Amino acid sequence: MSQDRPVGELLREWRRRRQLSQLDLAIQAEVSSRHVSFVETGRTVPSRPMVLRLAEHLQVPLRDRNRLLVAAGYAPVYQERPLDDPDLTAAREALHQILRGHEPNPALVVDRRWNLVLANSAADVFLDGVAPALLEPPVNMMRLGLHPAGFASRLLNLGQVRGFLLPRLARQVQQTGDPQLSDLYSELVSYGAPDQMQPPDPVDIAMPIRIRHRGVELSFINTITTFGAAFDVTLEEIAIEAYFPADARTALALRSGGHSVMPDTAVSK
């Protein structure tokens, strides 16, 4: 890991992202605001425990906590192992168990930049028929959902999906400062005009994802699951997106492989 900007400058950046004053951070971390000021201006080099303490109260991701430590002159403490590392066997088996157990409903695992890590067989609902270029690694699920050659053309409520995903991604960019996520956001915004974004229907219990798959209209609601108290960078950055049928027709279609339900054209609205 290469030398970065001064640790005080990085901490100040994270504090501002969290919209905290120096006094706010000092109270939360139980230190003086003068000490926070001295750290941010470089007048004081924080100890290793202090870097980690401030990072904890600023909710800094593990990857960036390592960055803060290196900038302060200390060795990183959080490991980043590939998912196939033997030390992550238990976590990897847990992911596979969740994905298999969720079938026949779609479920997939994504990293911090929405790149696909794992998926169960039912996730074919989203991968089927998209342009081959979009399936070249890394497969980005945000791009796949909003790109005209992805499954956007099969989304029956594309405006609502755009209206939910783009602000969500914008918040993530603001919270992390990740330049790659910023580039992704700019790309996705270019795929449609602002007036194509629609608010969710307040009648729905949650925003559904309505998609046409092999002549059948399917409707999903989804949940996001992360590892609790992860101390490995890889594990902290991955999330499981599990999709559940939003109506009886979708549940029946998934249980039967999508072939026992009549196409949309034959279903009364």
Side-chain angles (χ1 to χ4, degrees):
M1 190 175 295
S2 60
Q3 183 64 37
D4 210 326
R5 289 180 290 155
V7 63
E9 185 178 325
L10 294 174
L11 283 168
R12 180 171 61 246
E13 189 173 282
W14 278 105
R15 177 177 61 78
R16 289 174 174 171
R17 284 196 190 114
R18 299 298 181 250
Q19 299 182 354
L20 295 173
S21 67
Q22 289 183 346
L23 180 59
D24 292 332
L25 177 58
I27 291 172
Q28 290 184 21
E30 298 183 337
V31 298
S32 70
S33 58
R34 184 168 181 261
H35 186 65
V36 172
S37 176
F38 277 22
V39 168
E40 290 189 354
T41 58
R43 295 180 64 181
T44 295
V45 177
S47 66
R48 179 174 171 274
M50 181 57 66
V51 172
L52 293 174
R53 187 174 182 175
L54 294 175
E56 174 69 22
H57 287 282
L58 289 170
Q59 301 177 12
V60 177
L62 299 186
R63 177 184 301 277
D64 293 286
R65 294 188 194 193
N66 279 342
R67 182 182 174 192
L68 289 170
L69 287 167
V70 171
Y74 306 110
V77 299
Y78 300 103
Q79 295 190 60
E80 181 181 3
R81 290 159 285 204
L83 196 55
D84 59 1
D85 188 283
D87 288 342
L88 297 186
T89 297
R92 186 172 62 253
E93 289 180 351
L95 291 173
H96 284 292
Q97 182 177 349
I98 292 171
L99 294 181
R100 288 193 302 267
H102 197 63
E103 292 178 344
N105 303 324
L108 47 90
V109 179
V110 294
D111 66 16
R112 67 191 174 112
R113 290 174 174 147
W114 301 97
N115 294 318
L116 183 63
V117 177
L118 296 169
N120 65 10
S121 59
D124 180 63
V125 166
F126 304 115
L127 305 179
D128 186 42
V130 305
L134 295 178
L135 295 179
E136 294 179 3
V139 178
N140 187 276
M141 293 306 297
M142 280 275 194
R143 179 179 293 113
L144 211 63
L146 298 182
H147 195 289
F151 61 84
S153 62
R154 294 190 288 120
L155 284 173
L156 304 177
N157 61 333
L158 177 59
Q160 288 184 340
V161 173
R162 280 178 55 82
F164 175 77
L165 290 184
L166 289 178
R168 177 181 178 181
L169 184 56
R171 288 192 298 271
Q172 189 179 358
V173 171
Q174 190 277 329
Q175 291 169 357
T176 65
D178 188 322
Q180 292 192 38
L181 284 177
S182 180
D183 291 343
L184 177 63
Y185 176 78
S186 297
E187 175 191 339
L188 300 186
V189 167
S190 71
Y191 294 151
D195 59 3
Q196 293 179 317
M197 295 171 58
Q198 300 171 6
D201 189 338
V203 173
D204 294 320
I205 60 170
M207 192 200 73
I209 297 174
R210 298 173 52 226
I211 186 170
R212 182 175 283 105
H213 180 60
R214 299 178 184 175
V216 177
E217 179 183 329
L218 305 178
S219 182
F220 297 99
I221 56 175
N222 75 310
T223 63
I224 298 176
T225 304
T226 59
F227 280 97
F231 296 114
D232 180 275
V233 173
T234 297
L235 290 189
E236 189 201 41
E237 293 181 346
I238 62 177
I240 305 165
E241 293 224 353
Y243 294 83
F244 296 84
D247 54 39
R249 179 173 64 175
T250 299
L252 177 60
L254 294 172
R255 287 197 301 268
S256 61
H259 300 296
S260 68
V261 179
M262 298 178 67
D264 298 337
T265 54
V267 177
S268 60
K269 302 296 182 180

